[in-house]
Amino acid sequence: MPITLRNVSYTYQPGTPYQWQALDDVSVTIPDGEFWGVIGPTGSGKSTLIQHMNGLIKPTGGQVLVDDIDLAQKGADLRRVRQRVGLVFQYPEHQLFGETVFEDVAFGPRNMKLSPDEVEQRVTRAMERVGLDPAYRTRSPFGLSGGQARRVALAGVLAMEPRVLVLDEPTAGLDPRGREEILRLIKTFPALGMTVILVSHSMDDVAEMADKVLVMHRGKVFMQGTPAELFSHRAELESIGLGVPAAAQLVDSLRQRGWTLPESAVTMDDAVKAILQAMGKGGGQQ
């Protein structure tokens, strides 16, 4: 189920002194089954972009197509689209409201008018997928740790069994352990057959997980490509206030010291392999 944006523009509060163009002629296609990272400096349009992907906001210009459905077209079945494209905002645990974990996770499937048996099965599957013990079903979500509460929020979206999962800074505000647990979960989602779109400020996370990366700047597409292609453009990224992964910084530092290493080594695994290969060939520092 591809998502295609064609010449999409979006303006907040048009015709007022506070008018602000958040997106400007954005075109991108995200094919089925890929893992995309979306990066960019603050105010670049990342969050506005992803809210177009399930019709939460509609473009002021251009088209948004989800599985060939034009979301701005009159009569478009946005309810169906939102079941297919799950959007997880920053701090999703702030949207928890059920008396129990089960009630929260079951909310979406019940709104889909599924049978009680199907709701039960979906809640069970979703909780398993995020690593929540069945004993949590009867617990209040408000008594959980930050990482556990975020798992509940993720389970609520997964229970709708979307084909596309969009995550906006999913590790924001978590301690290192909670952050690592959530990232480990996200890495498993493509194996479930989902397209994953991750908005992140962490260049390391994007380099490690994404198949493709979209860079936004001032409401426009600044660059797109594989992590290796993208993060080889160090100067261009730095010119808009973005850094590069720690592995790329290490490679650059060693290259400046005379090591023969490829700029395309942007993950720690790739950097280690390149360094070991260089050492074996005598390509290290002399």
Side-chain angles (χ1 to χ4, degrees), residues 4-46:
T4 300
L5 286 80
R6 294 178 181 164
N7 309 110
V8 169
S9 297
Y10 186 77
T11 303
Y12 286 102
Q13 303 185 60
T16 75
Y18 304 101
Q19 179 173 313
W20 170 46
Q21 186 160 14
L23 296 179
D24 184 7
D25 197 30
V26 172
S27 294
V28 64
T29 295
I30 299 176
D32 280 337
E34 292 191 350
F35 193 131
W36 277 62
V38 180
I39 60 176
T42 300
S44 60
K46 303 185 298 296

Side-chain angles (χ1 to χ4, degrees), residues 52-281:
H52 279 77
M53 293 180 178
N54 72 350
L56 280 183
I57 53 180
K58 296 182 180 181
T60 49
Q63 287 182 303
V64 180
L65 304 173
V66 177
D67 209 15
D68 294 326
I69 299 172
D70 185 343
L71 302 194
Q73 191 173 40
K74 187 175 181 180
D77 190 349
L78 296 182
R79 181 186 179 92
R80 183 182 175 193
V81 168
R82 289 166 188 162
Q83 291 170 1
R84 295 179 176 184
V85 182
L87 179 56
V88 181
F89 290 103
Q90 287 189 46
Y91 303 101
E93 61 273 18
H94 293 173
Q95 299 169 47
L96 298 177
F97 59 89
E99 291 185 6
T100 66
V101 167
F102 179 88
E103 292 298 317
D104 240 305
V105 179
F107 179 77
R110 283 175 173 164
N111 270 0
M112 294 169 68
K113 310 299 183 185
L114 300 177
S115 70
D117 284 348
E118 179 64 18
V119 170
E120 173 73 28
Q121 291 172 19
R122 289 199 177 204
V123 170
T124 298
R125 282 196 296 268
M127 289 182 64
E128 287 176 352
R129 286 170 176 171
V130 300
L132 281 173
D133 190 280
Y136 280 87
R137 288 163 61 99
T138 57
R139 291 184 58 177
S140 167
F142 306 108
L144 303 179
S145 69
Q148 291 168 336
R150 197 154 300 182
R151 286 170 183 256
V152 173
L154 279 171
V157 176
L158 292 178
M160 299 177 71
E161 300 191 350
R163 293 170 59 186
V164 179
L165 185 64
V166 185
L167 301 145
D168 189 0
E169 299 284 5
T171 62
L174 294 179
D175 60 27
R177 180 179 177 181
R179 180 180 179 280
E180 184 59 34
E181 289 175 348
I182 293 298
L183 289 175
R184 193 160 51 241
L185 281 174
I186 292 170
K187 290 178 183 178
T188 69
F189 294 156
L192 301 176
M194 287 188 291
T195 302
V196 179
I197 301 165
L198 171 68
V199 176
S200 180
H201 67 276
S202 171
M203 304 300 106
D204 295 277
D205 294 345
V206 169
E208 291 285 346
M209 295 192 291
D211 301 314
K212 298 282 182 63
V213 185
L214 176 70
V215 185
M216 297 293 297
H217 180 53
R218 295 179 178 174
K220 292 179 174 289
V221 174
F222 182 75
M223 202 181 297
Q224 61 179 296
T226 67
E229 291 167 345
L230 226 64
F231 292 120
S232 66
H233 296 278
R234 323 274 209 254
E236 291 95 323
L237 293 174
E238 290 173 357
S239 73
I240 63 170
L242 294 180
V244 295
Q249 296 176 35
L250 172 61
V251 166
D252 284 350
S253 179
L254 292 175
R255 283 166 58 89
Q256 291 169 11
R257 289 168 170 77
W259 287 67
T260 304
L261 298 172
E263 286 189 340
S264 60
V266 297
T267 69
M268 203 53 72
D269 281 349
D270 288 345
V272 169
K273 289 176 185 176
I275 291 167
L276 291 175
Q277 185 176 24
M279 292 173 66
K281 292 181 177 179

